[in-house]
Amino acid sequence: MEVSQNSDYNDRKFALPVDSEHKATEFRLFSVATPHMRAFHLSWISFFACFVSTFAAPPLIPIIRDNLDLTATDIGNAGIAAVSGSVFARVAMGTACDLFGPRLASSSLILLTAPAVFLSSIANSPAAFLMVRFFTGFSLSTFVSTQFWMSSMFSPGVVGTANGLSGGWGNLGGGATQLIMPLVYSLIHSQIGSTKFTAWRIAFFIPAIFQTLSAFAIFFLGQDMPDGNYVRLEKSGEKHKDNFSQVFYHAITNYRGWILALTYGYCFGVELTIDNIIAQYFYDRFNVNLHTAGIIAASFGLANLFSRPGGGILSDVVAKRFGMRGRLWTLWVVQMIGGLLCLLLGKINTLTASIAVMLVFSVFVQAACGLTFGVVPFVSRRSLGVISGMTGGGGNVGAVLTQVIFFRGSRYSTEEGITLMGVMIMCCTIPILFIYFPQWGGLFCGPKKGSTEQDYYLSEWNKAEKEQGFHKMSLKFADNSRTERGNKGVPVTVTSYNETPPTSV
Amino acid sequence: MILHFKVYKSTTSSTMEVPNGFLVISLLLCFATTGHGVTFTSLQRTLVVTASPTEGQVLKAGDANITVTWGFNRTFPSGTDADYRTVKVKLCYAPISQKDRSWRKTVDEMQKDKTCQHKIVARPYSASNNTFTSTILRDIPSGTYFVRAYAFNGNDEEVGFGQNTNGKLETNLFVIQAITGRHASLDIASICFSAFSVVALAGFFYMEKSKGKSQK
């Protein structure tokens, strides 16, 4: 992915070519160069660890439900609790990223939720089980810090790719855990010889330790921004410490953030719902054994290896030619098709066809997630974290809502629920048609004449703040985001801002 | 069905008891060969089963003993058990322990039935009183149980049963309390690691603050 703009700013001390904000303009997967690629690897690995911990219980439920004497209602409630904890945590995480930086925000959250995973080992009742799943679920908000970090490290031309890969490979944890936990459990049960009810408890130490180690790695090896950590940048005056209420206000008054929160609820939320119900669906409807049902469930999550990143890459590819309008159209089309496939999935009666449709459905719905986060980095510069948090939180709200409406109790059979969920996906994707950026346009309308990226991003700062020069970073971003006009856009002359070139540190 | 007719032909001059027994067996074999699974309602209560726990008694898994006895029910004609080869005695969930737990559901087709998931003992069949005592295994979950024994024929299909409770599964139910699976060492490790995470976080904040102070 070569975007050879601003090569004058190619600072020799960075391993990758960078733009004026020192964000990388290329994405090299197999490099661990500081700070860009290292940040990428740290973020996807830690997010993967959190996903493994959050979904560590489902594959071991047959053992846990006997040990803790759980009913089907208890299990369902714990599943909903696991994804609902993250709703507000994601918004909080977004705010924390804006104020303290992704490195501290994510390592703090991971260390604060690690005790919930350790304490899962001593859970003794349905209530305790619900509590540990609820608090462990908070760790899913590392998604927000992942996306924020990538948006801080990578330039608009590759941000979709970076976001898609880090989000997708993190989500992989949800599928991998269906294979890892039973393996760890059987090793402990047969090799070490612990009884069933002890073996699962010991097994939980593995994801817990993995999670803790990833937090250490982020703290010691990571860096908030290409130029350094927030603490140092704020001390030297390069970055001003922002005001919480202003950051929050500019996020919640931006209608695009709310629309994306809703639509993300119907791609990512659907993904989480399927993670929770699909094994049971295949087991009950097609009478496969539990082991096979688990493998099918895992394959849904494992598609994230390429499908979500594919969405992100597609977003960047489309943006080169068609800019932001291309990103929005692609998102709408892919998510609509995902909804259609979901509707179809509930109607299919044979096992092979059902698995095939499920796999294609997984690719589309996960690609839609990747495409969403190709748009999110552009909604706001000042409140990037809170917007990312709102969108991410919206994803979890979608999961909770969908499970409560369609997959609880016996009002709908599971196949009816899946079909209705498909209909709901399509309905909730329609609002994308209403997203409009004055400088780039929307799905049906072109850009407003004379409107620039500067106008849009600088509108987040008031006069007093501008006088103090707090808006400098938004200026640079506005410049760099000009690529969102696509190739068809009329080239605009670069206005100089009478500003000193970025200081090298 | 061919088997059925053959039996009819040869029993015209025999005594009453033998043809009845053959009829039952052949019908069951018919069901088996035509591919229908054995259903519970097709089985007769041809075994008498008793268990040591009294009604409502609480037993601890891994600790308490349970003694089961089983034998042929003499009220049935004497040839009924002609093809019984093995007996499996199992711990079965009482209805209250099946409530809201579809993985313990009672289904008439024996292959899909999940009522009796824990085997106590399997023995070759013998009509006279058999007993067996063992400690309740440590992987038995908490719940209310009764004991049921199934008799199997040479093809490993259920051909008869007996249980220590009545037909409605209301009497002689006993409670088993599972082990927690927790150990003191696990508890301590769990709490220590958790405390370590929180302390490490405090350490991170301290380091970050002092880095900030030392910069300028």
Side-chain angles (χ1 to χ4, degrees):
Chain A
M1 283 263 137
E2 297 229 27
V3 181
S4 52
Q5 62 179 16
N6 298 324
S7 48
D8 322 334
Y9 290 95
N10 214 330
D11 212 334
R12 223 169 272 132
K13 71 178 179 75
F14 289 120
L16 272 66
V18 295
D19 65 15
S20 65
E21 288 180 280
H22 291 173
K23 293 183 184 177
T25 55
E26 263 181 42
F27 187 87
R28 284 186 205 152
L29 187 57
F30 297 108
S31 150
V32 283
T34 337
H36 310 98
M37 292 315 301
R38 187 183 280 193
F40 167 74
H41 289 292
L42 284 172
S43 62
W44 83 257
I45 290 176
S46 60
F47 186 40
F48 179 94
C50 293
F51 241 99
V52 169
S53 302
T54 306
F55 292 99
L60 297 181
I61 282 280
I63 322 281
I64 300 176
R65 69 190 177 196
D66 278 346
N67 193 183
L68 302 183
D69 205 21
L70 304 175
T71 61
T73 309
D74 292 329
I75 296 173
N77 287 340
I80 293 174
V83 296
S84 60
S86 188
V87 172
F88 292 107
R90 285 182 165 204
V91 182
M93 177 61 116
T95 317
C97 283
D98 280 325
L99 300 175
F100 305 114
R103 175 178 151 263
L104 263 188
S106 62
S107 55
S108 306
L109 179 84
I110 295 174
L111 279 181
L112 282 174
T113 49
V117 191
F118 283 116
L119 294 173
S120 304
S121 303
I122 59 178
N124 218 6
S125 64
F129 183 64
L130 187 112
M131 294 299 279
V132 293
R133 283 213 77 190
F134 177 69
F135 286 110
T136 307
F138 276 58
S139 66
L140 285 187
S141 54
T142 39
F143 167 72
V144 177
S145 56
T146 304
Q147 304 292 284
F148 183 97
W149 210 356
M150 294 299 96
S151 305
S152 305
M153 286 285 178
F154 291 92
S155 186
V158 289
V159 76
T161 305
N163 276 347
L165 272 165
S166 59
W169 286 9
N171 275 19
L172 213 58
T177 195
Q178 310 260 7
L179 301 171
I180 294 174
M181 291 306 285
L183 189 69
V184 170
Y185 163 81
S186 57
L187 275 174
I188 296 174
H189 183 45
S190 52
Q191 305 294 54
I192 305 181
S194 309
T195 56
K196 282 163 71 170
F197 293 169
T198 305
W200 77 263
R201 295 171 184 279
I202 302 177
F204 265 78
F205 274 80
I206 305 298
I209 292 175
F210 180 25
Q211 198 177 315
T212 311
L213 288 175
S214 69
F216 273 77
I218 291 176
F219 182 79
F220 288 109
L221 301 174
Q223 188 178 307
D224 289 317
M225 303 186 73
D227 292 327
N229 288 319
Y230 273 31
V231 150
R232 201 172 48 72
L233 295 174
E234 282 164 4
K235 278 280 173 201
S236 69
E238 278 171 73
K239 185 192 180 312
H240 105 278
K241 192 168 167 59
D242 211 342
N243 176 298
F244 167 69
S245 54
Q246 284 292 321
V247 165
F248 200 69
Y249 173 77
H250 285 292
I252 58 176
T253 51
N254 194 329
Y255 76 91
R256 300 168 195 84
W258 292 103
I259 294 182
L260 288 172
L262 173 66
T263 61
Y264 195 61
Y266 283 90
C267 53
F268 182 63
V270 164
E271 189 185 330
L272 287 181
T273 303
I274 297 274
D275 276 340
N276 267 338
I277 60 127
I278 199 74
Q280 204 176 301
Y281 173 69
F282 278 96
Y283 182 78
D284 289 337
R285 192 167 187 200
F286 300 105
N287 290 319
V288 296
N289 66 38
L290 208 65
H291 186 65
T292 310
I295 294 179
I296 298 175
S299 65
F300 178 85
L302 291 176
N304 264 303
L305 181 68
F306 56 86
S307 53
R308 188 176 173 132
I313 293 171
L314 184 63
S315 191
D316 286 338
V317 166
V318 168
K320 276 213 191 117
R321 181 111 210 287
F322 300 105
M324 176 55 71
R325 295 182 77 183
R327 293 189 195 260
L328 289 170
W329 265 112
T330 318
L331 170 59
W332 189 83
V333 167
V334 169
Q335 195 159 316
M336 274 297 187
I337 297 178
L340 209 64
L341 286 166
C342 188
L343 199 155
L344 197 63
L345 180 65
K347 300 242 176 239
I348 295 200
N349 275 319
T350 56
L351 179 62
T352 332
S354 195
I355 295 179
V357 171
M358 186 203 75
L359 288 173
V360 181
F361 164 61
S362 73
V363 171
F364 276 87
V365 83
Q366 288 159 11
C369 295
L371 283 156
T372 307
F373 276 85
V375 175
V376 166
F378 299 99
V379 172
S380 164
R381 181 64 190 89
R382 186 175 190 183
S383 313
L384 171 65
V386 182
I387 294 280
S388 302
M390 276 165 64
T391 309
N396 285 60
V397 170
V400 172
L401 218 62
T402 314
Q403 283 176 91
V404 167
I405 299 176
F406 300 125
F407 298 106
R408 203 169 177 238
S410 33
R411 183 149 180 227
Y412 300 108
S413 66
T414 311
E415 52 262 32
E416 278 175 346
I418 292 178
T419 300
L420 290 171
M421 182 166 71
V423 175
M424 196 156 184
I425 294 174
M426 292 195 280
C427 293
C428 292
T429 306
I430 290 173
I432 294 179
L433 303 175
F434 301 115
I435 296 183
Y436 181 76
F437 287 92
Q439 71 274 34
W440 298 317
L443 261 72
F444 296 118
C445 313
K448 207 154 102 186
K449 256 214 166 80
S451 182
T452 64
E453 290 81 1
Q454 263 193 66
D455 298 334
Y456 181 78
Y457 290 111
L458 294 187
S459 66
E460 295 179 320
W461 303 90
N462 63 34
K463 206 163 172 199
E465 288 166 335
K466 283 187 201 170
E467 273 165 15
Q468 294 192 65
F470 291 160
H471 63 297
K472 285 190 210 153
M473 290 192 148
S474 290
L475 268 179
K476 289 186 195 168
F477 183 73
D479 229 10
N480 292 322
S481 67
R482 231 183 283 258
T483 52
E484 295 311 301
R485 297 181 181 209
N487 272 343
K488 295 166 126 194
V490 177
V492 176
T493 50
V494 179
T495 52
S496 67
Y497 316 119
N498 291 329
E499 194 189 299
T500 51
T503 51
S504 45
V505 273
Chain B
M1 294 311 280
I2 300 168
L3 199 62
H4 182 94
F5 283 125
K6 265 194 176 166
V7 168
Y8 248 83
K9 269 191 176 174
S10 63
T11 57
T12 39
S13 56
S14 327
T15 57
M16 280 307 289
E17 294 140 38
V18 173
N20 272 344
F22 273 123
L23 209 55
V24 169
I25 304 307
S26 64
L27 275 171
L28 286 172
L29 280 173
C30 271
F31 280 129
T33 50
T34 49
H36 291 289
V38 177
T39 61
F40 183 70
T41 43
S42 70
L43 302 177
Q44 291 185 297
R45 197 166 167 169
T46 53
L47 300 174
V48 177
V49 174
T50 60
S52 56
T54 55
E55 174 132 20
Q57 186 180 358
V58 177
L59 302 165
K60 283 213 171 110
D63 197 34
N65 280 342
I66 185 170
T67 305
V68 291
T69 67
W70 65 96
F72 183 63
N73 187 347
R74 301 281 166 195
T75 63
F76 281 86
S78 70
T80 318
D81 60 346
D83 70 336
Y84 289 10
R85 295 287 170 269
T86 48
V87 171
K88 286 187 191 159
V89 186
K90 299 185 178 185
L91 268 176
C92 307
Y93 296 109
I96 191 172
S97 284
Q98 292 176 304
K99 197 164 159 219
D100 204 12
R101 293 178 175 90
S102 55
W103 57 91
R104 296 178 181 171
K105 214 163 48 166
T106 299
V107 174
D108 201 27
E109 198 181 320
M110 289 306 304
Q111 274 198 318
K112 293 189 176 166
D113 182 42
K114 301 266 198 317
T115 320
C116 304
Q117 295 184 24
H118 305 283
K119 194 179 78 178
I120 299 177
V121 67
R123 281 278 167 80
Y125 174 75
S126 92
S128 56
N129 283 333
N130 310 267
T131 64
F132 179 76
T133 307
S134 74
T135 322
I136 297 176
L137 292 176
R138 302 174 81 220
D139 64 355
I140 306 287
S142 294
T144 309
Y145 293 83
F146 62 94
V147 175
R148 183 182 284 168
Y150 287 108
F152 292 81
N153 65 7
N155 289 332
D156 210 29
E157 290 149 354
E158 293 85 351
V159 286
F161 80 99
Q163 58 196 24
N164 76 323
T165 177
N166 65 1
K168 287 196 186 152
L169 310 179
E170 284 162 344
T171 59
N172 290 332
L173 305 175
F174 53 94
V175 173
I176 294 182
Q177 211 175 64
I179 59 165
T180 60
R182 288 171 61 177
H183 291 278
S185 53
L186 255 184
D187 290 1
I188 294 173
S190 196
I191 295 174
C192 283
F193 273 101
S194 304
F196 170 71
S197 305
V198 179
V199 168
L201 181 61
F204 285 2
F205 275 117
Y206 176 73
M207 285 172 73
E208 201 66 5
K209 259 227 152 84
S210 53
K211 243 196 245 171
K213 282 200 185 117
S214 69
Q215 278 306 310
K216 276 243 161 120

